[in-house]
Amino acid sequence: MAAVVITEDDQRIRELMARVLAEKGYEVEGAGTALDGLQRIVQYSPDVVVLDMGLPDLDGAELLKMIRAVTDVPVVVATARSEDRDVILTLDAGADDYLVKPFSVEQLEARVRAVLRRSASESMKPVVNVGGLMLDPGSRIATLEGSSLQLSPKEFDLLLYLAEHEGTVISKRQLMAEVWRQPYGGSEKTVDVHISWLRKKLGESAADSRYLETVYGVGVKLVDPT
Ligand code: CA
């Protein structure tokens, strides 16, 4: 039985979500504030978190950063903010998926199920080695020449996806679809920003690339520089 922590200050919505998820067999903990939510996430180590962005004590994006500092638990954001910019900021802050209010509880349950399925299949994936780079999807550990790389969850996902497709040019559109789960929306700039962060962590630059090679106008590929 998968455990879910719902952080949502609207009691009516929270109870509705909790009831529907409980009927589907989930173990549900509800929290009405960001700090209560964080406390329950630390205490219960849930399998998935549902997070409202408009909370009374802290902005949801701030809470998401705090959650990401302690755990890689999948987070589905429920937001009333449909503007593209907010959605991108949310996903950059480490959300795995999002729902724009108003949404049906069936939609919510489908997203929760999808992120759980992804995280389960993720943990079964084999370790990937490319040159001096090692990525372990199960433990989400990344190392470069034996030294640990401190990657954000999205940076890890992006690097893993590229490493799994070593030598193949992947378009930014495809990365938005596969890594950010946004086949239609989102900005390709998100990909550019994450690639530049990854480059910095891998100790390389666009002008002097080793692992991450940009193919102008097409996309990016990960290569073995050794
Ligand atoms: Ca709210």
Side-chain angles (χ1 to χ4, degrees), residues 7-10 13 32 52-56 78 80-81 101:
T7 304
E8 163 67 70
D9 61 325
D10 186 320
I13 297 176
D52 171 34
M53 292 308 273
L55 293 165
R81 307 162 187 177
K101 289 179 180 176

Side-chain angles (χ1 to χ4, degrees), residues 50-196:
V50 177
L51 179 62
D52 171 34
M53 292 308 273
L55 293 165
D57 52 338
L58 258 183
D59 189 70
E62 287 302 310
L63 175 58
L64 188 50
K65 277 186 212 153
M66 293 162 81
I67 294 170
R68 280 291 165 254
V70 292
T71 168
D72 280 334
V73 64
V75 175
V76 177
V77 161
T79 176
R81 307 162 187 177
S82 56
E83 299 86 20
D84 211 25
R85 191 184 60 88
D86 283 323
V87 169
I88 291 164
L89 287 177
T90 303
L91 293 168
D92 281 352
D96 294 86
D97 208 341
Y98 68 97
L99 282 162
V100 176
K101 289 179 180 176
F103 53 80
S104 68
V105 281
E106 288 76 21
Q107 267 177 303
L108 170 72
E109 206 265 323
R111 296 298 170 95
V112 165
R113 207 169 349 109
V115 293
L116 282 172
R117 202 166 47 226
R118 285 208 293 272
S119 68
S121 63
E122 191 92 322
S123 62
M124 305 284 287
K125 282 183 176 178
V127 168
V128 182
N129 286 286
V130 179
L133 195 59
M134 187 285 295
L135 295 160
D136 181 352
S139 60
R140 297 187 65 85
I141 287 171
T143 61
L144 178 63
E145 272 122 41
S147 310
S148 140
L149 287 169
Q150 300 301 317
L151 304 179
S152 73
K154 275 295 167 221
E155 288 168 354
F156 184 91
D157 293 342
L158 175 58
L159 195 57
L160 179 65
Y161 189 81
L162 291 169
E164 285 171 340
H165 298 83
E166 183 194 342
T168 307
V169 186
I170 313 286
S171 71
K172 291 176 195 171
R173 180 51 46 200
Q174 189 177 343
L175 291 170
M176 280 312 293
E178 297 292 335
V179 179
W180 277 268
R181 307 282 159 195
Q182 284 191 278
Y184 310 112
S187 158
E188 295 180 3
K189 215 166 174 305
T190 304
V191 177
D192 292 333
V193 170
H194 280 78
I195 292 286
S196 81

Side-chain angles (χ1 to χ4, degrees), residues 211-224:
Y211 286 93
L212 292 170
E213 227 173 74
T214 298
V215 180
Y216 190 73
V218 186
V220 61
K221 67 176 170 181
L222 190 126
V223 296
D224 180 353

Side-chain angles (χ1 to χ4, degrees), residues 199-220:
R199 281 210 165 101
K200 210 167 276 175
K201 292 182 178 178
L202 294 172
E204 59 181 72
S205 65
D208 187 16
S209 72
R210 291 183 70 229
Y211 286 93
L212 292 170
E213 227 173 74
T214 298
V215 180
Y216 190 73
V218 186
V220 61

